Amino acid sequence: MVVIYLLIIASAWQRAVADSDVCSSSVIISNQIDANKLTGCETFDGSITISSSASGVITINNVEEIKGAFSAEGASELTKIIIPDLDSVQGGVTLSNLNSLTTITMGALSQVSSGIIIAGNPNLKTLGFQELEEVEGQLLLTGLFDSVSLPSLDQVKGQTTITGSSSMSCSTLDSLKFNGVFKNGYSCVSGSSGLGPGAKGGIAAGVIIAVLLVSLVLWFMLRRRRQRQRARGTQSTIPPSSTPSTVVAHDEKAPISRGSISPHEEPSPLSAPQTLLPRKPVGSAIFLDSRSIYEAPNGSAPDQKCHELDAGPILSSHQRPINAG
């Protein structure tokens, strides 16, 4: 009998030691089996981290206080986090880049001594901490939230930043600001695009590449335009071929050459007037018209005659020679 009692006592002591070891050191939860090991820990002395390899639903029961931090980052297959009995976290709460996460259940959480960061969870639409009263550090809630509910919040000592979708209303949170809940700055913005850092970086890189391509095309077009303008300027500086016109006598036919005036074209008004040759008198009787008197050219003639004209200008009749020499 005594031996049986001793065995029972030893077994209970071993379990107590084992539970004490589990509850006193930090743990990493990769699946629900790891989470079930914490069931006997009302107060957990270390930090609890959900591994990036975790998937599906992780439920941690009976844990009321975490003296370290609680975090889950980069677990793309994790869909739900349920810690129904958790009342306080002495470290911080960080839940980020959980692409499949749709639900966070911490209905009893009232105090976080560091800060709360929940960001980069595109499928998390509803966020609520119904019993949360105090946050010693910052409160950062960004995502595509349709609603954020903090009905019991009494004070946030750090910076508060809340960003949600276009359907999220900031009116209730604004009323908390007017009541002096947010001690060190407050911002609430609805209408977030929900783009992560990678998507934003890709968009920025695409814009830069597009600008470079447009600049290159414009430079090439301007370069070709300048080359064409230079080519036209070179052609305009070549003087036209000029062939001197052939000067011919009045009765001769002028040969048609390039740059000369066509026989059917009228001469330019700026050309020099041609000298009219005097008409040769016909017959022995010489009559001079007072209106048509021309000076004889200075040519060497074998026989010249001089005539003396009667005095007086007679405009309407011919003048007769009175003395020939």
Side-chain angles (χ1 to χ4, degrees):
M1 236 8 228
V2 175
V3 174
I4 296 175
Y5 286 136
L6 290 175
L7 290 175
I8 294 174
I9 293 172
S11 176
W13 181 81
Q14 289 179 351
R15 285 197 301 270
V17 170
D19 291 342
S20 176
D21 290 340
V22 170
C23 299
S24 62
S25 60
S26 298
V27 297
I28 297 176
I29 297 175
S30 300
N31 49 50
Q32 187 58 43
I33 295 175
D34 295 337
N36 291 337
K37 295 178 182 179
L38 305 180
T39 303
C41 303
E42 292 184 0
T43 300
F44 193 84
D45 293 334
S47 297
I48 298 176
T49 302
I50 296 179
S51 171
S52 59
S53 62
S55 61
V57 181
I58 296 295
T59 302
I60 302 174
N61 292 312
N62 298 328
V63 176
E64 297 179 2
E65 181 181 4
I66 300 175
K67 291 186 177 181
F70 177 76
S71 63
E73 298 181 72
S76 59
E77 301 299 324
L78 185 64
T79 58
K80 294 182 180 181
I81 297 175
I82 301 174
I83 313 178
D85 303 312
L86 184 63
D87 177 71
S88 65
V89 178
Q90 299 299 320
V93 175
T94 302
L95 306 173
S96 64
N97 300 321
L98 308 173
N99 295 333
S100 301
L101 187 67
T102 59
T103 304
I104 297 175
T105 301
M106 297 181 183
L109 183 63
S110 63
Q111 181 181 7
V112 177
S113 297
S114 184
I116 299 177
I117 298 175
I118 300 177
N121 309 308
N123 289 307
L124 185 61
K125 304 299 182 180
T126 302
L127 184 62
F129 296 98
Q130 304 302 319
E131 301 295 329
L132 184 62
E133 297 178 358
E134 183 177 354
V135 179
E136 297 289 337
Q138 68 170 332
L139 179 61
L140 175 64
L141 310 175
T142 62
L144 293 175
F145 308 120
D146 294 330
S147 66
V148 174
S149 178
L150 303 168
S152 303
L153 192 62
D154 183 62
Q155 71 172 355
V156 178
K157 294 183 179 181
Q159 170 71 34
T160 299
T161 303
I162 301 175
T163 304
S165 67
S166 57
S167 60
M168 186 190 78
S169 174
C170 292
S171 59
T172 303
L173 299 171
D174 292 342
S175 64
L176 295 178
K177 175 187 175 182
F178 295 139
N179 293 332
V181 172
F182 306 110
K183 307 299 183 180
N184 195 20
Y186 162 78
S187 172
C188 181
V189 179
S190 60
S192 171
S193 64
L195 295 176
K200 293 179 181 178
I203 293 174
V207 170
I208 293 173
I209 293 173
V211 170
L212 291 176
L213 289 176
V214 171
S215 301
L216 182 61
V217 171
L218 290 176
W219 175 83
F220 182 74
M221 294 176 64
L222 289 175
R223 184 170 178 269
R224 292 194 60 183
R225 183 178 179 182
R226 289 173 182 173
Q227 290 177 349
R228 291 176 181 175
Q229 289 178 349
R230 290 175 183 174
R232 292 175 183 174
T234 303
Q235 293 178 359
S236 63
T237 55
I238 300 176
S241 59
S242 57
T243 304
S245 301
T246 304
V247 180
V248 297
H250 180 69
D251 295 332
E252 295 179 356
K253 293 183 179 180
I256 300 175
S257 62
R258 184 177 181 182
S260 62
I261 300 175
S262 173
H264 299 286
E265 295 178 357
E266 295 181 2
S268 173
L270 298 178
S271 60
Q274 298 180 356
T275 304
L276 299 177
L277 299 177
R279 293 177 294 179
K280 183 177 180 181
V282 181
S284 57
I286 299 175
F287 297 91
L288 299 178
D289 190 350
S290 62
R291 290 170 297 179
S292 300
I293 301 175
Y294 301 95
E295 183 182 357
N298 295 327
S300 59
D303 186 12
Q304 294 182 354
K305 293 182 181 181
C306 297
H307 302 274
E308 182 179 355
L309 303 178
D310 59 343
I314 302 174
L315 299 176
S316 60
S317 64
H318 295 284
Q319 297 180 358
R320 295 178 178 274
I322 61 175
N323 185 13

